[in-house]
Amino acid sequence: MTPRVLLADDHPVYRDGLRMMLHSTGEAEVVGTAADGEQAVAEAVRLRPQVVVMDLRMPRLDGVEATARIVATCPDTHVLVLTMHEDDESVFAAMLAGARGYLLKGADQTEILRAITAVASGEVIFGPALAERVTRYFAQLAAVRPPRQEPFQQLTAREREILDLIAAGLSNRQIAERLSLSPKTVRNNVSNVFAKLQVADRAQAIIQAREAGLGQ
């Protein structure tokens, strides 16, 4: 199916040129245009296109805020940013606002059409120059993220293992069989777990364990 597209750009020459290019290919149907952010939001609500091709720097309402409003009010409409701005602040502001794609205005016809088609089908796409930067940014975030701590640091490894099985619904006898332990050893470990968690019974221990992600 040919995607229905709304073009939002405050430069009439570029906007009309893009409209004519898309029309000439027959691979996208331009259902409307907008010259500023407020008009883009209004037309998106009225026309319900699959894709809004959005410039970022526009009068009355910038493209980032217009993107956020369209995403909030038109869940079936996806935004593809097409702009001359390639700084990190612009890229990540658009992403956080809900844009599904980001291209620079130097992109050729093939790139623009491919991006429109991808965004219309729910994919996320970035131009080659930006994709590497986005990947590097999230890799850096992952590198500085503190390591995830195991829950219940007060428990020994064996006690955490037994608590995990308790949370999974196993009885003491089943835990003993699973871990090749004596029933007495399991009972002692279970008592230690209850004491360290400061719980009165198995039900309370299960609640705490499952809230921490154990017993899955």
Side-chain angles (χ1 to χ4, degrees), residues 110-133:
T110 301
E111 285 182 277
I112 294 173
L113 283 170
R114 184 171 62 243
I116 288 174
T117 301
V119 169
S121 64
E123 297 178 32
V124 176
I125 189 166
F126 297 92
L130 299 174
E132 182 180 353
R133 189 187 307 170

Side-chain angles (χ1 to χ4, degrees), residues 74-97:
C74 307
D76 294 326
T77 296
H78 303 309
V79 176
L80 168 65
V81 171
L82 182 59
T83 182
M84 62 187 297
H85 301 282
E86 56 179 317
D87 57 285
D88 287 355
E89 183 179 356
S90 296
V91 174
F92 296 117
M95 288 175 60
L96 290 171

Side-chain angles (χ1 to χ4, degrees), residues 42-53:
E43 289 296 275
V45 171
R46 184 176 71 88
L47 299 170
R48 300 286 170 165
Q50 290 170 277
V51 179
V52 177
V53 178

Side-chain angles (χ1 to χ4, degrees), residues 144-164:
V144 301
R145 185 176 300 155
R148 180 178 177 271
Q149 287 191 334
E150 285 287 336
F152 307 116
Q153 292 290 308
Q154 71 272 39
L155 302 182
T156 66
R158 174 66 78 188
E159 288 166 352
R160 275 197 301 273
E161 186 177 24
I162 288 176
L163 178 59
D164 186 42

Side-chain angles (χ1 to χ4, degrees), residues 125-205:
I125 189 166
F126 297 92
L130 299 174
E132 182 180 353
R133 189 187 307 170
V134 171
T135 301
R136 187 168 60 249
Y137 174 80
F138 284 108
Q140 290 170 346
L141 281 185
V144 301
R145 185 176 300 155
R148 180 178 177 271
Q149 287 191 334
E150 285 287 336
F152 307 116
Q153 292 290 308
Q154 71 272 39
L155 302 182
T156 66
R158 174 66 78 188
E159 288 166 352
R160 275 197 301 273
E161 186 177 24
I162 288 176
L163 178 59
D164 186 42
L165 295 175
I166 290 173
L170 274 67
S171 66
N172 284 4
R173 181 181 59 78
Q174 291 171 320
I175 293 172
E177 292 173 355
R178 175 76 64 88
L179 301 180
S180 299
L181 298 173
S182 70
K184 181 180 178 181
T185 299
V186 172
R187 283 197 304 272
N188 289 340
N189 276 279
V190 170
S191 296
N192 290 339
V193 168
F194 289 1
K196 290 180 180 181
L197 296 186
Q198 298 181 338
V199 297
D201 55 31
R202 206 177 193 87
Q204 291 180 3

